[in-house]
Amino acid sequence: MALVKYNDNSISAISSAGQLATGSLVPIKTLTASSSSTLSFVHGTDGVVLDSTYPIYKFEFINIHPATDNVEFQVNFRDGSTDYDATKTSTFFRALHDEADTTTALAYRTGGDLAQGTGFQRLNEGIGANGDQSVSGELKLFNPSSTTFVKHFMGKFSGCNAGDREDTTYVAGYCNVTVAIDGVQFKMTSGNIDSGTIKLYGIKDS
Amino acid sequence: MALNFANNNSLSAITTLPASISGGGMTLISEQTASSSASISFTSGIDDTYDSYVFKLYNIHPADNSANLRFNLSVDGGSNYNVTKTSSAFAAWHKEDDSGTSLAYNTGNDLAQSTDPQRILFGGLDNANDGNGCATLQLFNPSSTTFVKHFMCTAVKNSYHPYAWNTFVGGYGNTTSAVNAVQFSLDSGNIDSGVIKLYGIS
C-alpha cells in the first residue's frame, strides 16, 4: 500500500516525531543556574532520564560562572540513596597558559584526583569570578544503570582561571559501585553557581 | 488533518520533516569542501541559535608538506579574523618506526593575548597522497556579550616525519563581543582537500 503524500514528500501537519529517528544526541534536560548552591539531575524528577534508556549520557556546560573567586566546579553521583557520595577513583590533569605569557604547564594534579573517595570530583581549577570569566566543557557518563560494572566518566573543560590564564582540564574515572547511578549533582567548592547552563543529553545507539 | 498510516506506521517515503520536529541535539548547519582553498570560512549560522557549536574536520590534506592547520575568530562577520586569544596546547606523538614517543606541552602552538590564528593540527601535516588530519573543535556560546569565548579541540594526524600526532588545544577568545564567523587555513599553502562540517548543539 503506497504512502499518501500530502505535500511533495514533506509532512507539514506533523508536530511531534514520536518514535521517528531524529539523531543520536537527544536533549533530555537543561538547568540554568541563578545563584544556585547546587544543580542536580535526578532520574524520574522534572523530566530527567538517567537509566538504561541510553548507554551514554553527556552533560554540556555553558559559561559556568562562580559567585566566589578562585573556586572549583565539582560533580558527585548518587548510588542508591539520596546522598551524592558514590565511591570514586579518578585521574586529573591540566594544561595552562597565562595571558602574560610567563607560565605554561602540562601536569598531573594530585589535588584533583580521588582514590576511593566519596567527596565531590573536581572538574577544573580556580575559576575566576570576574564578569567575563567562566568555565565550559563536557562530561560523559557511561552506562549508569549497569548493576554489573563500575560506572566510568570522562570530562574536559576550558576555564578562565582567577590568575588570568587559560586552564584546560581533563578528568576521568569511575564510580566504584555496581548499583545504578540515578542522580548527578554539581556545585562549587565554595559559594554559589552564580550563572550558567548545564544540559543533559542521551546518546542513542552508542 | 489526520495522517494516513500506509505501512505499519513507518514513513519510508518521507524525505523531509517539518521545522517543528526537532532533529535531535546536534544539527548540521553547513559543510564546506576544500579544493585548493587558501582558507575556508563560516560566515553564517554562528549566532545565538545554539549555546555551543562543533566543527568536525575530515581528512584535511595540505598542498604543502609540513603545513599546520589553524583557525581564527571574527566579530564582524568575517571582515577581519583577529580576535585576541589565550590558549594552551599539548600533544602526544609516536614515530612509525617505534623509535620515539612524547607527551608534552607545546609552547610553539599556544597563544598569549595574540590575534594570530590558533594552530589545531600542528606538528606538520604530510602532503603525501594519504596524508591528512581530522579534528573536532568545540566553540561555546559564541554570541555571548558577557563572557569570553571558550574553545577546545582534539585532533589526530599523520605528520611528514612520519609520526602519529594527537593534539589538544583549549583556550578562549578574550572578547565580550559576539563571535560570528570562523576561518580555517594552513600556515603554508592551500588546503588541497578535506571537508569541514559545522553543527549546532541545542
Side-chain angles (χ1 to χ4, degrees):
Chain A
M1 182 164 59
L3 178 71
V4 176
K5 299 173 184 174
Y6 290 104
N7 180 15
D8 62 5
N9 288 351
S10 74
I11 44 177
S12 58
I14 303 298
S15 59
S16 170
Q19 297 178 43
L20 195 62
T22 54
S24 60
L25 188 66
V26 180
I28 296 173
K29 182 72 177 178
T30 297
L31 296 179
T32 302
S34 178
S35 299
S36 307
S37 58
T38 61
L39 290 177
S40 303
F41 294 83
V42 178
H43 175 68
T45 302
D46 294 331
V48 173
V49 175
L50 197 65
D51 61 6
S52 61
T53 303
Y54 303 100
I56 302 174
Y57 290 83
K58 176 183 175 182
F59 296 92
E60 187 148 308
F61 308 89
I62 313 294
N63 296 132
I64 304 299
H65 177 72
T68 305
D69 194 43
N70 198 19
V71 294
E72 283 75 44
F73 187 53
Q74 312 171 103
V75 65
N76 214 333
F77 304 92
R78 204 173 84 160
D79 60 346
S81 74
T82 56
D83 297 326
Y84 293 89
D85 61 355
T87 299
K88 296 171 293 299
T89 293
S90 64
T91 61
F92 185 93
F93 69 96
R94 73 169 183 202
L96 66 85
H97 186 202
D98 66 340
E99 293 182 4
D101 203 16
T102 58
T103 306
T104 62
L106 171 64
Y108 191 91
R109 300 289 288 172
T110 55
D113 65 11
L114 294 171
Q116 297 296 89
T118 58
F120 275 68
Q121 170 65 54
R122 186 180 291 188
L123 298 173
N124 74 301
E125 292 194 338
I127 318 170
N130 289 346
D132 64 352
Q133 293 181 314
S134 69
V135 62
S136 297
E138 66 175 43
L139 176 71
K140 289 177 180 171
L141 175 62
F142 298 86
N143 201 10
S145 67
S146 172
T147 54
T148 303
F149 296 110
V150 304
K151 315 302 185 299
H152 292 284
F153 55 86
M154 285 198 301
K156 56 182 180 178
F157 297 81
S158 174
C160 293
N161 187 277
D164 289 337
R165 69 173 193 238
E166 197 279 332
D167 280 13
T168 306
T169 54
Y170 297 83
V171 59
Y174 53 89
C175 300
N176 199 359
V177 297
T178 54
V179 298
I181 297 295
D182 66 350
V184 180
Q185 185 176 78
F186 301 92
K187 69 176 185 179
M188 297 293 181
T189 47
S190 175
N192 289 337
I193 306 170
D194 188 54
S195 63
T197 301
I198 305 178
K199 296 184 171 185
L200 171 62
Y201 302 89
I203 302 179
K204 268 195 315 194
D205 307 322
S206 51
Chain B
M1 180 170 62
L3 177 68
N4 289 349
F5 292 106
N7 178 15
N8 66 357
N9 289 351
S10 73
L11 299 170
S12 58
I14 300 300
T15 57
T16 65
L17 294 173
S20 56
I21 294 182
S22 167
M26 192 167 181
T27 302
L28 178 63
I29 297 171
S30 62
E31 76 175 78
Q32 298 191 51
T33 300
S35 179
S36 298
S37 307
S39 63
I40 290 181
S41 303
F42 290 84
T43 57
S44 63
I46 302 173
D47 52 28
D48 61 357
T49 304
Y50 301 99
D51 284 336
S52 70
Y53 291 79
V54 172
F55 294 91
K56 290 186 177 286
L57 291 75
Y58 301 92
N59 301 131
I60 302 299
H61 178 73
D64 289 2
N65 207 28
S66 79
N68 302 289
L69 187 80
R70 311 117 15 118
F71 79 94
N72 214 335
L73 307 172
S74 170
V75 297
D76 55 15
S79 296
N80 298 280
Y81 291 93
N82 57 0
V83 169
T84 298
K85 296 174 291 300
T86 293
S87 64
S88 60
F90 67 96
W93 54 254
H94 183 202
K95 295 183 179 180
E96 288 187 4
D97 63 6
D98 204 19
S99 63
T101 61
S102 174
L103 170 64
Y105 192 91
N106 289 94
T107 54
N109 296 301
D110 63 10
L111 297 174
Q113 296 297 88
S114 172
T115 58
D116 290 344
Q118 171 66 55
R119 286 181 175 180
I120 51 176
L121 277 165
F122 51 82
L125 284 156
D126 184 2
N127 74 341
N129 286 341
D130 62 353
N132 72 94
C134 299
T136 299
L137 171 65
Q138 296 169 277
L139 177 62
F140 295 91
N141 203 8
S143 68
S144 171
T145 54
T146 301
F147 295 108
V148 304
K149 313 303 183 298
H150 290 281
F151 55 81
M152 290 193 295
C153 182
T154 304
V156 62
K157 76 175 201 320
N158 56 314
S159 72
Y160 70 99
H161 300 93
Y163 301 175
W165 279 76
N166 189 188
T167 57
F168 302 84
V169 170
Y172 49 82
N174 198 357
T175 177
T176 53
S177 298
V179 166
N180 52 18
V182 177
Q183 184 178 74
F184 297 89
S185 63
L186 293 167
D187 56 8
S188 172
N190 290 337
I191 305 172
D192 190 50
S193 62
V195 173
I196 304 178
K197 297 184 179 184
L198 170 61
Y199 296 88
I201 309 299
S202 57

